[in-house]
Amino acid sequence: MQKRRFFLKGSAAEVAWLNRQAARGYQLTAIHGLSYQFKEVPQARQLIAEYMPQTTLQAMTTVFQPLTSYTFHDDMAVVYSTVAPKQRVVNNDQQYRLAVYRHARDVALNWLNGWVLVVWLMMSATTIVISSQLQATPLLTRLLLLGLALGAGVMVAGIIVGVRTAIRCHREVCRLIRITGDDHETWKPTFHVLFKHQQAAPDTTCWDDLGSWQLALHNQRGDYYFELKTTLSELEITNTLAQRFSKQDFSVVSWLGLYVV
């Protein structure tokens, strides 16, 4: 049996769908793009998906014997197997999963930009050609406006789908960053932290887990201005600093510079 579905390979949504098929007696046998191959068995087993490099998969295939696998273009593979979680080949694939979701987020954004550009060019080209080749009449004007409205609707529908996909991937990326601590490819807004009435520059090494600190300037009154690059929110920064300083002795300005917490 063959079914066609659009999933990010190895995602929780895909695994949940595959396990629903297993509950109906259909065991996964192969994946080719959007096509999933199943065979009907008396008792299909629940499966898990784990990410690993292609080299690891090749070295472990004979021993591991997964149901099937899918290889991405960047030498990353996702393996589908019926092993128990304690018997997994890769004990922790969060780092690989993070790389996959980062790539998926980038692809979603690229498709979103490409969709908007293509639809806009088609609408513009159609309008120019019709306007230059045909004589303007009330009926033609209404048809042209209707076509532009339909094109705008198609564009908006594509934007909604692309944005929702990118947001889902971004949320998973943020979750995996918190787990792995791997934020080297993550854009970090810069917050401005002001420490007031200090006898010396505050030692920020104890807050290295907040982000990257840099002293911007200070004055004779004991005010020290730091720039903090971090993925945390203002509230999280404030609560951490409040464990050592009184709230009257420091302030955190948002990366937009709109207000002081």
Side-chain angles (χ1 to χ4, degrees), residues 51-58 75-77 90 96:
Y51 294 97
M52 63 182 67
Q54 179 69 14
T55 52
T56 302
L57 173 61
Q58 293 173 349
D75 196 38
M76 187 70 67
V90 179
Y96 305 133

Side-chain angles (χ1 to χ4, degrees), residues 138-158:
L139 177 60
L140 178 61
T141 301
R142 286 195 294 270
L143 291 176
L144 185 58
L145 292 176
L146 177 61
L148 292 176
L150 291 175
V154 171
M155 181 187 296
V156 171

Side-chain angles (χ1 to χ4, degrees), residues 212-245:
S212 176
W213 292 84
Q214 183 175 357
L215 178 62
L217 56 92
H218 70 278
N219 57 33
Q220 299 299 324
R221 297 191 302 271
D223 298 334
Y224 291 84
Y225 296 82
F226 284 85
E227 293 182 349
L228 172 61
K229 292 185 177 181
T230 181
T231 58
L232 301 178
S233 66
E234 295 173 57
L235 182 60
E236 291 173 312
I237 298 171
T238 301
N239 289 340
T240 301
L241 297 179
Q243 297 175 6
R244 180 174 174 183
F245 293 93

Side-chain angles (χ1 to χ4, degrees), residues 73-110:
H73 296 296
D74 55 354
D75 196 38
M76 187 70 67
V78 55
V79 180
Y80 303 85
S81 62
T82 59
V83 300
K86 293 182 179 180
Q87 299 173 322
R88 292 178 59 181
V89 173
V90 179
N91 292 329
N92 187 351
D93 68 346
Q94 306 291 3
Q95 198 74 29
Y96 305 133
R97 191 174 294 269
L98 175 59
V100 170
Y101 271 92
R102 276 177 168 157
H103 179 70
R105 180 186 59 186
D106 294 341
V107 170
L109 292 174
N110 290 337

Side-chain angles (χ1 to χ4, degrees), residues 26-52:
Y26 297 103
Q27 193 74 72
L28 177 69
T29 59
I31 299 177
H32 304 287
L34 302 180
S35 177
Y36 293 81
Q37 303 288 337
F38 298 90
K39 68 175 180 180
E40 190 171 2
V41 296
Q43 187 174 2
R45 299 176 61 186
Q46 299 287 295
L47 57 80
I48 64 171
E50 52 189 334
Y51 294 97
M52 63 182 67

